[in-house]
Amino acid sequence: MQVKNVSIDPNWKSRLESIGYGYHSSDNVPYWVDDRYYEITAHEADSIYQATADLWQMCLKAVEHVIQHKLYHLFHIPAYMIHHIERSWDKDDPSIYGRFDFAYDSQSRKLKMLEFNADTPTSLFESGIVQWHWKNHYFSESTDQYNSIHEQLIESWKSLKPYLKGEILYFSCAKETLEDLTNVEYLRDTAIQAGIQTQLIYIDEIGWDGRTFVDLEGYEIQSIFKLYPWEWMVNEEFGHNIVQDINEAQWIEPSWKMILSNKAILPILWELFPHHPNLLKSYFDSPKGMRHYVRKPILSREGANIEMFYDREMIYETDGAYGEEGYIYQELATIHREETGFSVIGSWVIGQEACGISFRESDMPITTDQSRFIPHIIKN
């Protein structure tokens, strides 16, 4: 796995904007890196695929374990949501995607799971579309990329279509974020290509008529994809309406994903699969004798409130508003480092299949919302 450079296209911004990618920069600082890329081998791509497939199955077993043993208190999940979670699991409510984040140790060539973004992962559009267009711009058609995200999304929607409730699948996010809207519109476009009738509605436009959720015209909402975190919804009045909904609307991602998107799943996985080669030691309450570890709030997002310890001395920390909900302690991983920064691998699961990767690069060994996106190719 190597970082390489290309001579940058002077029109790279307009090229990206022409395919609908408008958040390539923030305050004139590039988020998308156009002149640098990762070159990986086919063997490395196969290793990522296999690790992702194995961990997905382990995660499903971990959800079953949490539900069977009623471990919801460890996840800071409100009691009123438990029945909804169990019902969504038992009914196998539709789920479309998730993204594992891996640390890669270039010396041992081992992949270690840092966490699983199982509820509202972003960077899907740049992973599935933008880096594919980037590859075709700079390289020949024979150059490959570990990326079947777009095709897998369409096929997954086709598989889910017979199980959706109602005639319309709604797509929703908050109004303020171009990134969220771009990802939602991309997912919506792939659903349309799968033959599903769709409609966009912002989260704050979803109505409640006292019995069920309705759109702006008063039509009942029976199936909806939302790019809005479950842990936010359940702490709003909105969440209580979900459990009172007489239509029992399908939410994608389903509420059982609250278990997998919570970092409390990491100690559960370590307990169920101790010493698995793709897992890091993880514990509740304390580091259990580890000298090098990371303390993570169970509901932290985008690298907020992370504390990193080496020889039990803090070496990095990030700001944020999380922590009151509790922490887990995870073994410190070796993060791949180049002169340009530290990189983690995002590995996508769509419709139960591992199907593509992304690289995020940071100036410090904690990935945040400021981390850069690096495209990749597979070495010929």
Side-chain angles (χ1 to χ4, degrees):
M1 195 168 89
Q2 292 181 309
V3 165
K4 294 192 173 183
N5 297 294
V6 293
S7 297
I8 195 166
D9 172 12
N11 300 312
W12 68 274
K13 290 184 179 180
S14 59
R15 189 187 80 242
L16 297 181
E17 289 164 4
S18 71
I19 59 172
Y21 188 46
Y23 53 96
H24 49 67
S25 307
S26 177
D27 297 326
N28 291 320
V29 177
Y31 158 66
W32 171 271
V33 176
D34 208 67
D35 60 347
R36 191 166 72 252
Y37 65 96
Y38 270 97
E39 182 183 75
I40 67 172
T41 66
H43 175 74
E44 287 168 336
D46 290 342
S47 297
I48 298 168
Y49 173 91
Q50 192 59 55
T52 304
D54 291 347
L55 285 165
W56 172 241
Q57 294 303 315
M58 291 158 58
C59 281
L60 294 178
K61 291 176 182 177
V63 173
E64 183 72 30
H65 175 82
V66 170
I67 291 174
Q68 285 183 349
H69 293 85
K70 309 288 185 182
L71 301 177
Y72 304 105
H73 62 286
L74 298 173
F75 292 76
H76 206 68
I77 291 173
Y80 82 85
M81 279 299 299
I82 291 173
H83 175 69
H84 194 278
I85 290 170
E86 293 178 348
R87 187 180 70 207
S88 74
W89 177 254
D90 291 339
K91 292 173 63 178
D92 195 21
D93 278 352
S95 168
I96 193 71
Y97 73 155
R99 191 193 73 233
F100 287 98
D101 286 343
F102 287 125
Y104 178 72
D105 184 341
S106 54
Q107 297 297 317
S108 66
R109 298 188 177 182
K110 291 182 179 179
L111 292 160
K112 296 289 186 179
M113 174 186 169
L114 297 170
E115 57 192 58
F116 187 26
N117 300 279
D119 182 23
T120 57
T122 53
S123 76
L124 183 66
F125 182 63
E126 47 266 52
S127 299
I129 294 296
V130 183
Q131 70 171 340
W132 185 260
H133 278 266
W134 171 90
K135 175 189 76 71
N136 291 339
H137 177 81
Y138 284 108
F139 296 91
S140 67
E141 290 185 3
S142 62
T143 302
D144 203 2
Q145 190 175 76
Y146 178 19
N147 184 5
S148 59
I149 290 170
H150 186 74
E151 296 80 4
Q152 187 62 26
L153 279 170
I154 295 171
E155 290 306 310
S156 297
W157 286 124
K158 286 180 180 178
S159 298
L160 290 181
K161 183 181 177 182
Y163 303 99
L164 297 174
K165 298 172 66 173
E167 296 181 356
I168 298 174
L169 174 59
Y170 291 83
F171 282 78
S172 189
C173 65
K175 279 184 177 179
E176 297 81 9
T177 307
L178 177 61
E179 180 180 3
D180 286 0
L181 180 59
T182 302
N183 277 270
V184 164
E185 286 287 56
Y186 172 50
L187 280 156
R188 182 180 169 216
D189 179 67
T190 57
I192 291 170
Q193 291 185 58
I196 297 172
Q197 186 177 352
T198 73
Q199 185 171 318
L200 178 69
I201 185 169
Y202 291 109
I203 284 287
D204 61 1
E205 295 175 342
I206 298 172
W208 175 254
D209 67 3
R211 300 165 58 253
T212 191
F213 294 104
V214 293
D215 66 15
L216 291 171
E217 282 74 45
Y219 293 109
E220 295 181 355
I221 295 173
Q222 298 193 52
S223 294
I224 181 167
F225 172 91
K226 52 87 189 164
L227 192 63
Y228 193 78
W230 271 108
E231 69 264 22
W232 293 2
M233 293 205 303
V234 300
N235 288 304
E236 301 168 358
E237 183 180 350
F238 194 96
H240 290 273
N241 292 339
I242 289 172
V243 300
Q244 296 168 6
D245 178 13
I246 63 168
N247 280 337
E248 297 182 358
Q250 293 173 325
W251 291 88
I252 305 173
E253 295 297 300
S255 59
W256 63 261
K257 280 292 195 78
M258 288 179 67
I259 297 172
L260 284 184
S261 63
N262 188 307
K263 293 177 184 63
I265 200 64
L266 299 171
I268 300 292
L269 284 167
W270 184 251
E271 177 186 347
L272 294 176
F273 306 100
H275 308 293
H276 188 279
N278 297 126
L279 292 178
L280 294 163
K281 296 176 184 177
S282 299
Y283 303 105
F284 293 108
D285 303 324
S286 75
K288 305 288 186 185
M290 293 187 294
R291 298 188 62 83
H292 317 310
Y293 59 91
V294 178
R295 189 169 87 139
K296 298 180 175 181
I298 64 171
L299 296 177
S300 172
R301 302 175 64 80
E302 296 180 327
N305 299 103
I306 303 295
E307 298 171 347
M308 185 174 290
F309 294 82
Y310 190 86
D311 271 339
R312 298 176 182 158
E313 296 288 333
M314 186 187 297
I315 56 173
Y316 289 102
E317 64 176 328
T318 55
D319 297 327
Y322 299 93
E324 290 185 5
E325 71 277 15
Y327 294 85
I328 63 99
Y329 296 79
Q330 184 183 58
E331 177 185 359
L332 182 63
T334 300
I335 307 293
H336 183 81
R337 186 175 188 178
E338 300 280 346
E339 289 184 2
T340 51
F342 299 86
S343 292
V344 299
I345 300 169
S347 183
W348 292 91
V349 174
I350 297 173
Q352 316 290 320
E353 289 290 331
C355 60
I357 60 171
S358 55
F359 287 88
R360 294 290 299 278
E361 181 186 81
S362 308
D363 294 331
M364 63 177 178
I366 299 173
T367 304
T368 70
D369 58 354
Q370 302 299 310
S371 299
R372 300 171 289 276
F373 190 103
I374 315 291
H376 79 279
I377 64 168
I378 295 177
K379 184 177 181 179
N380 290 325

